Amino acid sequence: MSGSVGDITVIAQEVRGCTRCGLHTGRVRAVPGEGPADAKIMLIGEGPGYHEDRQGRPFVGPSGQFLDELLAIAGLRRSDVFIANVVKCRPPQNRDPQPDEISTCTELYLYRQIALIDPAVIVTLGRFSMNLFLPGARIMRDHGKPQWVNGRLIVPMIHPAAALHRPENRPLIEADFERLPAILAEAEAERSTPADPSNDEEPPLEQLSLF
Ligand code: URA
């Protein structure tokens, strides 16, 4: 991968000083993401909310508490996974991130984080994150169904905040997290199997050439 990918802490420093889109004007702190640089699972949310903006850390508010419970269902602790967001600065009043904010932030930071960490599994939390990897997917139809994209299993999941707001979503997201260990085992087994040269069923190349 290119030398510009850099070190995970270097990327975090760049994020903290970033002024490349309008979101920086309203932030208290940017939220680069956190976790081990060799995490096998990466979780990608939408963007910082009120609490994350104040603390500079991802998922530390109510949806973060729920995320910790979901990780526990999967037998995981927060320190086992890398948690990041599509955009690293809080959109005003938690509005949706705009296309230019998403493209700037992902190209400058998120895709470099993914390339460096090289996780076997990416769990997308909510539709903005999901649509980066699976542009045609729909969250209520496709949540919990892993799909190969450029050598990783992408697992779309309902955003924890959506499960907090709509209690009927809670068993769905819990069931999806319960399957995470099996999904990781599948991804790791596939990645450790030497490529079969007679197998021409390469996953289609798409816009995420940085992966
Ligand atoms: N919601 C997100 O998508 N990301 C966070 O970091 C917190 C809440």
Side-chain angles (χ1 to χ4, degrees):
M1 195 44 72
S2 96
S4 66
V5 166
D7 186 78
I8 206 79
T9 57
V10 172
I11 298 173
Q13 276 311 113
E14 290 176 29
V15 167
R16 290 190 187 99
C18 183
T19 56
R20 296 286 288 273
C21 86
L23 291 181
H24 82 277
T25 60
R27 76 176 176 225
V28 176
R29 293 188 196 197
V31 181
E34 63 188 29
D38 61 352
K40 294 171 181 164
I41 301 178
M42 193 166 172
L43 285 85
I44 304 178
E46 178 176 320
Y50 174 87
H51 299 279
E52 291 77 22
D53 178 57
R54 269 161 181 72
Q55 295 187 38
R57 298 183 54 212
F59 283 95
V60 289
S63 55
Q65 281 171 22
F66 184 38
L67 184 60
D68 288 344
E69 289 174 34
L70 293 166
L71 286 169
I73 288 173
L76 295 165
R77 287 158 306 173
R78 196 174 255 259
S79 55
D80 295 322
V81 298
F82 195 96
I83 306 180
N85 278 302
V86 173
V87 294
K88 313 296 195 196
C89 296
R90 183 189 182 203
Q93 277 79 51
N94 298 340
R95 67 153 167 75
D96 288 348
Q98 301 300 295
D100 61 315
E101 296 159 355
I102 293 173
S103 61
T104 302
C105 208
T106 53
E107 279 158 30
L108 283 172
Y109 307 119
L110 180 67
Y111 295 157
R112 285 166 64 209
Q113 290 175 315
I114 294 170
L116 205 64
I117 295 163
D118 191 23
V121 171
I122 293 180
V123 174
T124 62
L125 300 170
R127 72 189 159 97
F128 287 97
S129 175
M130 174 182 73
N131 286 336
L132 291 178
F133 307 94
L134 305 169
R138 296 214 317 265
I139 193 74
M140 294 315 292
R141 184 190 64 191
D142 296 323
H143 71 86
K145 295 181 196 158
Q147 298 190 46
W148 285 103
V149 177
N150 295 326
R152 320 179 194 287
L153 276 179
I154 307 295
V155 194
M157 296 216 194
I158 296 166
H159 196 288
L164 289 179
H165 292 137
R166 289 174 172 265
E168 67 270 25
N169 284 337
R170 204 177 166 118
L172 303 180
I173 192 170
E174 288 174 351
D176 289 346
F177 267 84
E178 222 172 291
R179 292 184 55 235
L180 201 47
I183 292 168
L184 176 62
E186 183 192 338
E188 291 203 294
E190 180 70 25
R191 277 161 61 112
S192 64
T193 306
D196 176 354
S198 68
N199 181 0
D200 57 7
E201 286 187 23
E202 275 285 305
L205 277 179
E206 48 185 322
Q207 82 272 26
L208 299 171
S209 56
L210 257 173
F211 287 41

